[in-house]
Amino acid sequence: MTVMRLRTVLATATASLAAATCLTAGPAAATTAPAARDHACSPSVSLDRFTDALDKTTYQGSYAGNFSALARDRHGDLAALSDRSELFTLDRRTLKPTSVVRLADESGAPLDSEGLVVDRDGTRLVTSETEPSVRRYSRDGRVLDRLPVPAALRVAPAGRATANQTFEGLTLLPGGRTLLASMEYALSGDDARTVRFQTWRRTGDGPFRLAAQYAYRTDDASLGVPEVQAVPDGRLLVLERGFTAGAGNTVRLYLADPRGATDTGGTEKLTGQPGVRLIRKTLLTDIAACPTLGATARQPQPNPLLDNIEGMTVTGRDTRGRLRVLLVSDDNANPAQTTRFYSLRVRV
């Protein structure tokens, strides 16, 4: 997103991915924290390392920042989406860009691109906050398809969503049949802490069609949902994030379970109606509780490690069965913020 307020083919192999563990080559060396075992953030999460290697850098004339989403492609490399309509491919070992593709809508206008999935055929599914929308792109950036969006989720006056507070997260559930997008904040008329998660289903190689919608409640109305990622058993990793001027960011990681939640697609207002079962969630960690590992911040933060964390992808498992999770912050091209990658191990 473009203010200081503040995905994906899941690997089934257990081999470690160097994108989460080997961030030491080239210019990364001076700004990468050393690897260590079990730098605990909580009983469920540990921080391996972080790197600021791409902070305030360019590639082929494009600013290598403003990252809003990450995804692992079929070849093991990383796709990194900028909210300024650019999609980078990053080397999985060094995180250096190896290509960039510029994205646009059907008329050639730029996107406020936020969520990213690399589908099983290699095409890219990308959300834009503007309408909001979900479009399918070829690897070279051509628009191939556009998914339907419920009327209520559209930005007012077309719907009840607020501009710049719509589709932020996008993930493909195990099996590749169900796509899920998370709204960042509540719709007008809904409880201010309750955000909607929309799904689409497909049969075979057919198109995605609108499916169930679920309700998720954040800890506080000031917190939004910038990212969701499916884990192999169908549950979700969910980021909640907020920003307070003079205090800094709040970023929390949850494990959420949409199974058993009520389909709220036909519920006009979510204001505590009896019988509506929310997505269940369990706190995994507050990122502020992670060790700093020598990180510095350019603005006040409860932990200098923190920044505007917005992208997340699951890159595999370690030998103990923990998920390897990579996060990235969106620096908004702001001198007071940092493009930072975080390598976590998460026990679910």
Side-chain angles (χ1 to χ4, degrees):
M1 55 191 298
T2 59
V3 295
M4 288 174 57
R5 183 182 46 204
L6 300 146
R7 149 175 288 336
T8 299
V9 177
L10 295 172
T12 56
T14 59
S16 63
L17 295 177
T21 57
C22 297
L23 311 179
T24 56
T31 54
T32 301
R37 298 183 62 185
D38 296 330
H39 284 136
C41 307
S42 72
S44 300
V45 178
S46 61
L47 173 68
D48 272 353
R49 64 179 74 229
F50 72 89
T51 179
D52 301 341
L54 292 189
D55 186 49
K56 308 301 182 286
T57 62
T58 60
Y59 174 77
Q60 294 185 354
S62 294
Y63 184 74
N66 299 305
F67 291 134
S68 57
L70 296 171
R72 185 179 176 230
D73 72 16
R74 296 180 302 165
H75 307 292
D77 285 329
L78 290 166
L81 181 67
S82 163
D83 62 18
R84 310 299 169 89
S85 301
E86 294 183 313
L87 181 58
F88 292 81
T89 299
L90 307 181
D91 181 89
R92 64 180 181 266
R93 297 188 65 85
T94 66
L95 297 185
K96 290 182 178 180
T98 59
S99 69
V100 61
V101 173
R102 288 156 184 84
L103 304 177
D105 67 12
E106 293 81 354
S107 65
L111 312 173
D112 184 355
S113 40
E114 297 289 347
L116 172 67
V117 159
V118 178
D119 206 354
R120 56 195 181 189
D121 62 358
T123 58
R124 274 66 169 147
L125 292 157
V126 176
T127 71
S128 175
E129 281 197 304
T130 307
E131 310 94 341
S133 62
V134 183
R135 292 179 177 86
R136 182 186 297 278
Y137 290 87
S138 65
R139 291 182 64 93
D140 61 2
R142 291 177 295 111
V143 179
L144 302 176
D145 190 16
R146 182 167 172 172
L147 278 59
V149 174
L153 303 189
R154 297 173 187 163
V155 170
R160 296 195 289 118
T162 301
N164 206 38
Q165 297 184 12
T166 61
F167 288 157
E168 280 271 341
L170 192 68
T171 190
L172 194 63
L173 272 61
R177 303 289 188 194
T178 301
L179 185 73
L180 182 147
S182 60
M183 297 289 282
E184 185 181 15
Y185 286 95
L187 299 180
S188 174
D190 285 354
D191 176 85
R193 293 173 51 204
T194 303
V195 299
R196 300 192 185 224
F197 287 8
Q198 179 64 47
T199 69
W200 295 259
R201 287 278 297 174
R202 65 180 168 196
T203 302
D205 293 325
F208 281 106
R209 303 184 185 279
L210 283 172
Q213 185 185 104
Y214 307 108
Y216 176 93
R217 185 166 292 161
T218 60
D219 284 354
D220 184 89
S222 67
L223 299 177
V225 177
E227 189 62 286
V228 291
Q229 279 294 290
V231 301
D233 66 4
R235 291 179 292 174
L236 304 169
L237 295 177
V238 179
L239 283 177
E240 294 187 21
R241 177 202 60 193
F243 177 80
T244 302
N249 291 100
T250 299
V251 186
R252 297 171 185 157
L253 180 64
Y254 285 86
L255 181 65
D257 193 348
R259 298 171 296 187
T262 300
D263 182 353
T264 58
T267 306
E268 183 178 0
K269 302 291 179 67
L270 293 173
T271 54
Q273 294 90 334
V276 173
R277 297 183 303 277
L278 301 171
I279 293 174
R280 294 173 294 167
K281 69 176 191 178
T282 302
L283 179 66
L284 294 174
T285 195
D286 188 321
I287 303 299
C290 292
T292 67
L293 301 189
T296 59
R298 298 173 180 143
Q299 60 182 326
Q301 290 285 1
N303 179 335
L305 183 75
L306 286 171
D307 211 284
N308 178 27
I309 298 174
E310 191 159 320
M312 171 172 61
T313 189
V314 177
T315 61
R317 289 187 184 270
D318 68 10
T319 56
R320 294 168 57 184
R322 296 175 298 180
L323 298 177
R324 294 185 182 273
V325 177
L326 189 66
L327 309 179
V328 68
S329 61
D330 175 1
D331 75 332
N332 295 309
N334 187 326
Q337 295 177 272
T338 303
T339 297
R340 179 170 288 166
F341 290 83
Y342 308 76
S343 299
L344 305 180
R345 300 186 193 224
V346 179
R347 180 172 58 82
V348 296

